[in-house]
Amino acid sequence: MQAAHHFVIVGGGFAGLWATRALASAPVRITLIDRHNHHLFQPLLYQVATAGLSAPDIAAPLRHILRKQANVEVRLAEVAAIAPQEK
């Protein structure tokens, strides 16, 4: 199946993950780009600092979070510029 549109989402934070998940059933192709291969749940970072939780408890790999979503591809990269006129 050829998707009509290709979305590129920059960043795997809360907004990037919610946008990616919102497009799960849409007939589109999604590329999620992040400079880290994991999503960090920062509100619990203080508990890691005080030894209440271990680091893996608040960080999950992006590919693991989105593993059941067929229309997404996760890329480890850093975006330097955006040129929509060049597609």
Side-chain angles (χ1 to χ4, degrees):
M1 178 180 148
Q2 180 66 22
H5 297 284
H6 180 209
F7 287 84
V8 177
I9 298 175
V10 180
F14 287 114
L17 282 179
W18 280 102
T20 303
R21 286 181 170 176
L23 295 168
S25 60
V28 297
R29 201 167 45 104
I30 304 166
T31 301
L32 175 65
I33 301 173
D34 198 295
R35 70 177 95 173
H36 304 289
N37 66 345
H38 61 274
H39 170 73
L40 178 65
F41 189 71
Q42 290 184 348
L44 292 178
L45 198 56
Y46 74 95
Q47 288 193 1
V48 173
T50 59
L53 291 173
S54 64
D57 291 337
I58 66 165
L62 291 169
R63 286 183 176 92
H64 180 75
I65 296 170
L66 300 168
R67 69 187 178 278
K68 294 181 182 176
Q69 189 169 335
N71 65 343
V72 66
E73 180 180 357
V74 178
R75 295 288 182 160
L76 182 63
E78 187 169 332
V79 176
I82 297 174
Q85 67 279 7
E86 296 176 19
K87 296 186 179 184

